[in-house]
Amino acid sequence: MITEALLTLTENIIIPFSVWPEGDYPKANGLLDFDIFYNVTGCLRNMSSAGSDGRKAMRRCDGLIDSLVHYVRGTIADYQPDDKATENCVCILHNLSYQLEAELPEKYSQNIYIQNRNIQTDNNKSIGCFGSRSRKVKEQYQDVPMPEEKSNPKGVEWLWHSIVIRMYLSLIAKSVRNYTQEASLGALQNLTAGSGPMPTSVAQTVVQKESGLQHTRKMLHVGDPSVKKTAISLLRNLSRNLSLQNEIAKETLPDLVSIIPDTVPSTDLLIETTASACYTLNNIIQNSYQNARDLLNTGGIQKIMAISAGDAYASNKASKAASVLLYSLWAHTELHHAYKKAQFKKTDFVNSRTAKAYHSLKD
């Protein structure tokens, strides 16, 4: 269908209905029935799940991404974030953002990586596991700028543009449709996966330029488990950035602790959510004594210990993540007295289970 129908659907339905590039108001033309546009975007939504080759073909389709972005921005401007075709459009963009950095055409990836390669080459011999020099290198690596953002993006360039990042955050804040929320969070999750310059740049835009943490943290408290899981996965990606960790801790630490259950999670979705919450906490406490102290003061360590202990017969991802977090917490020697005062022992943090989990993580 991508081979035979994509271009026809884009040229005859998607572009005319979105009135890209001429119009400012997507649904004002009256040339097409809305249900036709809705059904075609639903078709493209399914097609965008076709895998790597399908994603590449859809990204190359002239006018497709431009029209989808134009339509969604129009519905947001018209205070209609719950428009049902908007959900389809955002789900398409979510799928097209998957593996984006790895699948970009060479003309983009060469541009994006050239400065990054230079820094890696210059510092390659000095990178250790936990030393201060490796931290400095990592900070330098994460400060590599993206190529200058284009004021008039076209096609695939929209997918990582700050305008579209702002668009996703608006939908997270304003839409009540679970799939629209999840797709917007998921697109940001895709764009912040990895440690190259693109994910780093997008993460900094979300946290520092667009104040996106306030919207993301609210999604940790929604009823839909899939939305919650995607929100915490986004936070986990964001928390890998050293320069953002203190801000993430300040805004979200109590929320992260609150979504960790009191007992070992049993469903796959809850296991994934709990593991991501523990790994996010692990990222934000590793380099900060104060963040570790704040975690202690939330009273959440008891829950983390209960999950770390797990089920002797069925250790899972959540138990492993909780064990890694406990081992990291003991590394803050300044807190040993505070732990003792809170009735904790060294063996609560460092034991065969937590040591095995911690050392099994190879960056």
Side-chain angles (χ1 to χ4, degrees):
M1 287 186 73
I2 288 173
T3 304
E4 300 292 333
L6 175 61
L7 190 59
T8 302
L9 293 174
T10 300
E11 290 181 345
N12 291 285
I13 308 296
I14 300 295
I15 293 175
F17 193 84
S18 72
V19 291
W20 173 82
E22 298 87 1
D24 292 324
Y25 191 69
K27 290 179 282 187
N29 56 33
L31 295 174
L32 289 167
D33 185 279
F34 172 75
D35 284 342
I36 295 174
F37 180 75
Y38 170 66
N39 287 324
V40 169
T41 54
C43 177
L44 295 180
R45 176 176 174 175
N46 292 336
M47 288 159 63
S48 67
S49 300
S52 176
D53 290 341
R55 288 193 296 272
K56 290 175 184 177
M58 293 184 76
R59 291 183 195 127
R60 290 194 302 265
C61 184
D62 285 345
L64 173 60
I65 294 173
D66 310 76
S67 299
L68 297 174
V69 170
H70 189 70
Y71 180 84
V72 175
R73 292 179 69 198
T75 57
I76 292 171
D78 193 36
Y79 302 102
Q80 294 187 24
D82 297 315
D83 170 82
K84 61 182 184 177
T86 292
E87 179 188 299
N88 284 340
C89 293
V90 177
C91 286
I92 298 166
L93 294 170
H94 170 211
N95 288 339
L96 296 187
S97 69
Y98 183 66
Q99 296 287 329
L100 177 61
E101 198 171 36
E103 295 173 0
L104 274 177
E106 194 174 341
K107 64 177 179 178
Y108 295 109
S109 53
Q110 276 186 342
N111 240 355
I112 289 167
Y113 277 106
I114 188 160
Q115 298 174 64
N116 189 44
R117 273 202 214 100
N118 292 340
I119 283 187
Q120 280 187 299
T121 303
D122 292 344
N123 293 290
N124 198 36
K125 292 181 181 177
S126 67
I127 295 179
C129 291
F130 303 105
S132 59
R133 291 184 72 190
S134 71
R135 185 177 303 167
K136 187 176 180 182
V137 169
K138 194 172 180 183
E139 285 170 348
Q140 192 177 10
Y141 174 76
Q142 292 190 337
D143 285 339
V144 179
M146 280 285 287
E148 190 173 340
E149 190 171 72
K150 294 189 177 181
S151 57
N152 186 28
K154 292 181 181 177
V156 73
E157 293 165 357
W158 277 112
L159 290 177
W160 66 84
H161 200 276
S162 60
I163 290 173
V164 167
I165 294 169
R166 200 175 305 128
M167 180 184 85
Y168 292 138
L169 291 170
S170 293
L171 290 171
I172 293 165
K174 296 173 183 176
S175 178
V176 297
R177 292 178 78 92
N178 289 337
Y179 285 122
T180 299
Q181 292 172 336
E182 187 182 352
S184 299
L185 289 161
L188 293 175
Q189 180 195 349
N190 287 342
L191 293 171
T192 55
S195 55
M198 179 191 289
T200 301
S201 174
V202 173
Q204 289 171 344
T205 299
V206 170
V207 175
Q208 296 177 329
K209 296 178 185 174
E210 301 298 337
S211 302
L213 288 177
Q214 58 177 321
H215 307 309
T216 308
R217 65 184 285 266
K218 288 177 183 174
M219 295 297 102
L220 299 178
H221 304 289
V222 297
D224 187 272
S226 295
V227 173
K228 189 181 294 188
K229 172 183 173 287
T230 311
I232 187 60
S233 296
L234 170 58
L235 282 175
R236 181 181 177 183
N237 284 354
L238 296 174
S239 71
R240 292 189 178 114
N241 294 264
L242 290 169
S243 62
L244 305 178
Q245 287 172 355
N246 287 339
E247 201 167 337
I248 293 168
K250 184 179 176 182
E251 285 209 41
T252 69
L253 196 148
D255 302 275
L256 291 167
V257 172
S258 73
I259 66 169
I260 294 175
D262 293 317
T263 55
V264 181
S266 53
T267 67
D268 288 344
L269 209 54
L270 192 53
I271 287 169
E272 290 283 350
T273 301
T274 305
S276 289
C278 288
Y279 282 128
T280 305
L281 288 168
N282 187 60
N283 288 340
I284 62 180
I285 66 96
Q286 271 196 320
N287 301 307
S288 171
Y289 152 80
Q290 187 56 52
N291 292 343
R293 177 176 280 282
D294 290 345
L295 174 55
L296 173 64
N297 291 339
T298 63
I301 289 182
Q302 290 91 336
K303 292 200 291 184
I304 295 162
M305 287 179 177
I307 292 165
S308 169
D311 184 332
Y313 302 102
S315 182
N316 59 42
K317 287 182 183 178
S319 300
K320 180 179 178 180
S323 296
V324 169
L325 175 54
L326 289 174
Y327 195 96
S328 295
L329 282 165
W330 188 256
H332 290 287
T333 54
E334 320 94 301
L335 286 173
H336 288 181
H337 180 70
Y339 294 150
K340 187 176 180 181
K341 195 174 178 181
Q343 307 296 310
F344 297 129
K345 306 184 296 294
K346 178 180 179 178
T347 51
D348 291 329
F349 297 90
V350 178
N351 51 56
S352 58
R353 183 180 62 254
T354 63
K356 181 182 177 183
Y358 186 83
H359 293 299
S360 71
L361 286 185
K362 302 292 183 186
D363 286 338

